[in-house]
């Protein structure tokens, strides 16, 4: 596993980072202001062993610029598995715009090979000492902002150059941060926070029950989910149940996860 963090400034890759092997590797790059792959950059987390799954690459930034995360022309990413093995995962994480209608990732121009999933997480950060149903209910800012962001799915897929890529998914990221104790005061179920992979609106009840998209080019594929991050400088207290949702109450009901 290769991990590189720049707590200030940016990371700019012009050469190769090779984490490949008979078993897949992992590469994680985080920089405060930006991460960019330039012509000649090569990130390799692939697996060579028969039946081995591909690797994982995480590229993340807190940068405020619209192109804080850039996968430029001439750069390559390799995530493939071995013969008979599934592909790997590319996870891109960047801030949403202030209006929650954009993500700070430039149009993706790099070559990406062997990925079974390309996830672009547009996150928003909320600072508080407690989380209540007023925050995450359907009229709360956290829910509404995530829904606004996901309503831009088609436009953002197009802007990022991913409109015809069947493994690309846009995800709403929610980060709640407290310098001290952080308390979840009420039950929080994320079951209904699932999104149509084509155009983003919250999925209808019938699709929520199955966990699958019911129409469009994504018919039959899993519904989109998000990423929840809770950060506390002291204790993290759960006075309510935090669940990423079951499709029903029966013993065999499917778990549909964030």
């Amino acid at each position: 596993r290769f991990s590189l963090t720049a707590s200030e400034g940016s990371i700019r890759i012009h050469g190769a980072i090779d984490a490949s092997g008979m078993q897949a590797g992992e590469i994680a790059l985080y920089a405060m202001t930006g991460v960019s792959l330039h012509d000649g950059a090569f990130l390799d987390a692939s697996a060579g062993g028969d039946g081995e799954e591909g690797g994982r690459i995480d590229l993340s930034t807190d940068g405020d610029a619209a192109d804080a995360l850039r996968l430029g022309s001439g750069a390559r990413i390799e995530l493939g598995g071995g013969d008979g093995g599934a592909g790997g995962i590319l996870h891109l994480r960047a801030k949403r715009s202030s209006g929650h209608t954009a993500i700070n990732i430039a149009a993706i121009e790099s070559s990406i090979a062997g990925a079974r999933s390309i996830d672009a997480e547009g996150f928003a950060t909320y600072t508080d000492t407690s989380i209540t149903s007023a925050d995450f209910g359907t009229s709360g800012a956290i829910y509404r902002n995530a829904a606004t962001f996901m309503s831009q799915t088609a436009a953002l897929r197009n802007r990022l150059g991913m409109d015809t890529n069947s493994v690309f998914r846009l995800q709403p990221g929610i980060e709640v941060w407290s310098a001290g104790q952080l308390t979840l005061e009420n039950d929080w179920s994320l079951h209904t926070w699932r999104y149509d992979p084509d155009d983003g609106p919250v999925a209808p009840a019938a699709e929520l029950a199955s966990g699958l998209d019911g129409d469009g080019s994504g018919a039959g594929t899993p519904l989109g989910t998000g990423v929840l991050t809770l950060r506390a400088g002291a204790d993290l207290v759960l006075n309510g149940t935090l669940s990423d949702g079951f499709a029903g109450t029966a013993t065999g009901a499917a778990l549909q996860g964030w």
Side-chain angles (χ1 to χ4, degrees), residues 129-133 135-136 142 176 181-189 228 230 235-243:
T129 57
S130 66
I131 309 169
T132 71
S133 56
D135 299 311
F136 56 75
I142 294 177
V176 184
Q181 179 173 297
L182 178 60
T183 303
L184 175 64
E185 300 287 3
N186 306 111
D187 293 345
W188 187 357
S189 173
L228 175 64
L230 304 179
D235 294 333
L236 177 60
V237 180
L238 302 182
N239 289 334
T241 299
L242 179 61
S243 170

Side-chain angles (χ1 to χ4, degrees), residues 71 75-79 90 108 110-115 118 162 165:
L71 281 66
R76 294 183 296 141
I77 294 174
E78 177 59 64
L79 291 155
L90 175 62
I108 297 172
S110 300
S111 169
I112 303 170
I118 302 172
M162 294 284 109
N165 191 314

Side-chain angles (χ1 to χ4, degrees), residues 31-50:
M32 177 59 72
T33 59
V35 175
S36 55
L37 306 184
H38 296 267
D39 187 13
F42 180 36
L43 306 184
D44 189 356
S46 62
D50 289 350

Side-chain angles (χ1 to χ4, degrees), residues 123-209:
F123 73 92
T125 302
Y126 304 86
T127 302
D128 210 335
T129 57
S130 66
I131 309 169
T132 71
S133 56
D135 299 311
F136 56 75
T138 54
S139 61
I142 294 177
Y143 182 92
R144 288 187 291 104
N145 292 341
T148 295
F149 176 66
M150 291 306 292
S151 73
Q152 302 299 308
T153 293
L156 291 176
R157 287 179 66 104
N158 183 66
R159 184 183 71 76
L160 294 173
M162 294 284 109
D163 51 318
T164 61
N165 191 314
S166 63
V167 300
F168 176 84
R169 289 294 181 97
L170 194 68
Q171 295 182 307
I174 297 164
E175 181 174 308
V176 184
W177 182 88
S178 172
Q181 179 173 297
L182 178 60
T183 303
L184 175 64
E185 300 287 3
N186 306 111
D187 293 345
W188 187 357
S189 173
L190 294 163
H191 170 57
T192 57
W193 295 52
R194 281 166 175 74
Y195 306 93
D196 186 293
D198 296 312
D199 53 22
V202 175
E207 293 184 359
L208 289 174

